Amino acid sequence: MNAQHFGARLTADGATFRLWAPAAKRVDVLLEKPHALARGDDGWFSADIAGVKAGARYRFRIDDEIDVPDPASAFQPDDVSGPSEVIDHGAYRWRATGWRGRPWPETVLLETHVGTFTREGSYRAMIDKLDHLVATGITALELMPLADFAGSRNWGYDGVLWYAPDSAYGRPDDLKTLIDEAHRRGLMVFLDVVYNHFGPEGNYLGRYAPTFFTEAQTPWGSAIDYRVREVRAFAIENALYWLREYRFDGLRLDAVHAISEPGEISMLHDLSRAAGELAVETGRHIHLVLENDDNAASLLDVGEDPPRGKYRAQWNDDYHHAWHVLLTGETQGYYGDYAKSPLRDITRALASGFVYQGEASAHRGGKLRGEPSGALAPTAFVNFLQNHDQIGNRALGDRLENIAKPKAIEAALAITLLAPMVPMLFMGEEWGSKAPFPFFCDFEGDLAEAVRRGRRKEFSGAYAKYGDEIPDPLDQSTCQSAVLDWESRNDATASRRLKLVQGLLAIRRREVIPRLAGATFGGADATDHGLLTASWRMGDGTTLSLLANLSDRAIARPAGESKGTLIWGTELKESIPPWSVFSRIG
């Protein structure tokens, strides 16, 4: 497929405009004057118009009734309902011309939100922080969704124009410059993309392409009908667009369990194959990662390089949930599934990937969840202690630092950053930032009130104790509260945490990453008093092992634990101190 199949494409003497509008009888493109588009087969409308240049703004007029932006708009300078702008992607001059990416085992992710990562909230401002990422040991910057959303602030999961990076953060060339500068420093850049729904404001597809949607519903609106050829092509072309035109190194696909696709070969399969073809064509490493509540191990194959239908890895929510229960004691909502023995659940995640591999989930009404995952490589799992959801879906948007003991968090970080799974941190976590990350958006009118009511309802019951403390998602101060305070890195406590994370990632870079190719799961065990042991067979034939005391009391040192070279921790004598971690290679 050609990445310019949808939308506006510059030509030698102007531009070609294309719109799939099967329910429309007439379509005009509005430039300085209206130009009628010719109707072709299968609901396509198109026109070649001379004299159009980059920077031209346009809309589509449907049946002389409504003016809409291009659903494949490359840029929306005046928000989602304004005119679309013709962008010349070939005009940007890349500096990191030799960049081909990095192998997946080298990945250490930092999830970020462009609007709150810096005080300026822009692509350009992020460039100044890239050297910090490199110095910390981060190898991959992951951006929360950028698809154009209504208003000036949003998490990004309400995007409605999938091809247009939101103008709140800068222009397309600003985003390219960020990616270019990251590549020049050896950093990969990933993008979070949403293919399970469109946002609630600014989506006009239902007017002229109602077959885009099915009668099925997701938690966020109507499901998208990927059985329709053009709809499937729209999503796959979008993925290739980000990978080709912006040179992202990989994509994280949001909540794919909410994609409704009865029968036939899935869109996910076709998207993976298309990305693999691009990887071969360009000689690049391209990595595709899933978020999938179904724990479908059959979708994953870390060794399929380039992608040929499967996905490199999945965010492991099980790992997070078990740790959260252990560290905080909270058991509301989905945490209830891990309340019985969170330490045993962490052990299972370390031993074979998912915690739920076909067992019944009480939180899901007894539904069986997951597939066996122990035969996968450890690097098929992205492990984390925090992310945007797990912080932002709390009543106050407060981080782990506000609700767990520092020593316990440090032990959890040591295990997460030294284990052979791919680790991910949330922005500021590397220095223990306490900046909240509550949900925020910028809707108006009835929709804004509906969002307010929805959040109040969500945080009723057990959360009612917070009362007026719960942030209003529509208030600008809620978004501002989430902006990272980079000066806080200089505090004594933050400096100590940053030094710890840097040290752990230096050990990972030197001792773990070179052995990850071909690594397999081994065994793990835990005792009721907090002792955890785990081991993995590494690709070079050595064994990576962890020993930890995840309790508030000292534990007697187990016999025969000192095999291999100590790479983290100090030599033990008679007991293991509370909340301490030791790692060996041998």
Side-chain angles (χ1 to χ4, degrees):
M1 299 180 195
N2 187 297
Q4 297 288 354
H5 185 68
F6 292 85
R9 179 184 60 188
L10 288 168
T11 62
D13 59 357
T16 296
F17 295 88
R18 288 169 57 83
L19 178 70
W20 186 62
K25 297 176 181 177
R26 176 187 173 95
V27 175
D28 296 272
V29 60
L30 307 181
L31 291 152
E32 293 180 353
K33 64 178 183 178
H35 299 263
L37 273 62
R39 185 183 180 105
D41 296 333
D42 301 321
W44 280 101
F45 290 79
S46 64
D48 294 320
I49 301 175
V52 176
K53 299 183 183 301
R57 298 188 181 189
Y58 66 101
R59 284 187 173 99
F60 290 119
R61 177 165 292 168
I62 309 298
D63 294 331
D64 291 322
E65 294 176 354
I66 183 173
D67 297 346
V68 300
D70 188 344
S73 168
F75 189 55
Q76 292 291 118
D78 300 319
D79 211 0
V80 291
S81 295
S84 303
E85 181 176 328
V86 177
I87 296 294
D88 181 4
H89 283 295
Y92 182 82
R93 294 294 173 255
W94 294 90
R95 300 177 69 188
T97 54
W99 177 259
R100 294 295 179 268
R102 299 179 65 156
W104 177 247
E106 296 180 6
T107 305
V108 177
L109 288 156
L110 183 74
E111 187 192 18
T112 62
H113 179 270
V114 176
T116 57
F117 189 65
T118 64
R119 187 176 293 107
E120 298 86 351
S122 68
Y123 304 124
R124 291 274 181 178
M126 293 187 82
I127 295 171
D128 293 337
K129 309 302 182 185
L130 296 178
D131 291 336
H132 160 81
L133 272 59
V134 174
T136 301
I138 302 297
T139 65
L141 174 67
E142 179 171 330
L143 307 181
M144 288 172 66
L146 302 177
D148 203 83
F149 50 78
S152 62
R153 55 191 181 274
N154 196 287
W155 271 19
Y157 298 91
D158 294 313
V160 292
L161 297 174
W162 289 358
Y163 291 70
D166 199 276
S167 60
Y169 309 139
R171 290 188 57 82
D173 277 5
D174 296 326
L175 174 56
K176 291 178 182 179
T177 303
L178 168 62
I179 296 168
D180 208 7
E181 289 300 318
H183 289 167
R184 294 182 69 211
R185 291 164 172 80
L187 290 166
M188 294 181 283
V189 188
F190 287 69
L191 178 64
D192 196 343
V193 291
V194 182
Y195 295 137
N196 51 55
H197 76 287
F198 287 86
E201 183 177 337
N203 174 26
Y204 301 95
L205 283 165
R207 166 60 180 82
Y208 55 84
T211 48
F212 233 91
F213 304 98
T214 73
E215 295 180 356
Q217 293 290 309
T218 74
W220 314 284
S222 298
I224 299 168
D225 194 349
Y226 286 118
R227 296 170 300 178
V228 178
R229 180 183 59 187
E230 289 81 4
V231 176
R232 180 174 296 215
F234 188 80
I236 293 172
E237 285 298 332
N238 179 253
L240 296 178
Y241 174 82
W242 292 118
L243 295 169
R244 179 187 289 117
E245 303 298 352
Y246 288 91
R247 303 194 182 184
F248 280 100
D249 299 280
L251 304 173
R252 176 264 194 189
L253 278 65
D254 177 69
V256 299
H257 55 271
I259 293 176
S260 176
E261 286 191 276
E264 67 185 83
I265 297 175
S266 73
M267 184 275 286
L268 293 177
H269 174 90
D270 285 350
L271 188 155
S272 172
R273 289 187 64 88
E277 291 170 5
L278 178 63
V280 172
E281 172 192 330
T282 58
R284 293 164 51 196
H285 293 286
I286 289 178
H287 309 300
L288 303 177
V289 180
L290 298 177
E291 180 193 28
N292 187 3
D293 190 63
D294 291 339
N295 282 5
S298 55
L299 292 177
L300 308 176
D301 186 349
V302 74
E304 191 176 87
D305 193 9
R308 292 186 297 275
K310 296 197 175 184
Y311 287 74
R312 191 81 73 211
Q314 177 178 316
W315 277 22
N316 194 354
D317 281 338
D318 282 351
Y319 181 84
H320 166 273
H321 296 348
W323 270 112
H324 190 89
V325 174
L326 181 72
L327 295 174
T328 69
E330 295 180 347
T331 58
Q332 73 275 13
Y334 45 68
Y335 292 130
D337 277 353
Y338 309 83
K340 182 178 181 181
S341 182
L343 183 56
R344 296 285 181 184
D345 290 337
I346 291 169
T347 302
R348 190 175 203 205
L350 293 172
S352 59
F354 297 132
V355 174
Y356 279 83
Q357 301 182 31
E359 292 78 12
S361 163
H363 175 67
R364 296 162 182 81
K367 178 183 175 182
L368 301 184
R369 175 178 177 239
E371 298 172 350
S373 58
L376 294 170
T379 48
F381 301 88
V382 175
N383 283 356
F384 49 89
L385 301 174
Q386 302 184 76
N387 67 21
H388 72 276
D389 268 333
Q390 310 307 336
I391 300 170
N393 288 338
R394 299 176 58 77
L396 303 181
D398 45 345
R399 294 179 184 239
L400 202 55
E401 287 297 327
N402 299 89
I403 51 177
K405 298 174 182 177
K407 290 296 292 182
I409 295 173
E410 289 171 3
L413 279 168
I415 291 174
T416 303
L417 299 182
L418 293 177
M421 299 75 168
V422 169
M424 183 177 75
L425 300 170
F426 185 69
M427 60 181 193
E429 185 180 358
E430 67 271 29
W431 72 80
S433 172
K434 292 186 178 181
F437 193 73
F439 175 73
F440 52 82
C441 56
D442 188 24
F443 299 133
E444 297 179 350
D446 292 344
L447 177 58
E449 281 306 311
V451 171
R452 283 195 181 97
R453 288 194 301 270
R455 295 296 282 184
R456 291 191 196 110
K457 182 178 179 181
E458 180 179 355
F459 295 125
S460 59
Y463 297 99
K465 60 183 179 182
Y466 294 113
D468 293 338
E469 293 181 69
I470 298 176
D472 178 353
L474 281 302
D475 195 309
Q476 188 172 0
S477 64
T478 301
C479 176
Q480 291 173 340
S481 74
V483 175
L484 281 181
D485 179 6
W486 285 86
E487 294 303 315
S488 68
R489 285 182 302 167
N490 301 321
D491 297 344
T493 302
S495 295
R496 179 179 175 276
R497 174 64 60 79
L498 182 57
K499 185 176 180 180
L500 172 73
V501 170
Q502 288 172 331
L504 287 164
L505 290 178
I507 294 293
R508 181 180 186 86
R509 181 172 61 252
R510 185 170 67 248
E511 302 289 350
V512 179
I513 286 176
R515 297 177 165 95
L516 280 179
T520 59
F521 282 110
D525 196 14
T527 64
D528 292 335
H529 53 279
L531 180 69
L532 180 146
T533 58
S535 64
W536 301 268
R537 187 70 169 173
M538 305 303 283
D540 64 352
T542 60
T543 296
L544 170 66
S545 61
L546 284 174
L547 170 70
N549 176 1
L550 302 180
S551 77
D552 292 321
R553 299 177 300 277
I555 299 175
R557 171 186 171 184
E561 60 79 28
S562 58
K563 296 178 182 178
T565 301
L566 189 69
I567 61 172
W568 184 259
T570 57
E571 291 293 349
L572 290 170
K573 295 182 179 179
E574 295 183 356
S575 64
I576 308 173
W579 298 106
S580 56
V581 177
F582 307 84
S583 182
R584 294 179 180 272
I585 286 279

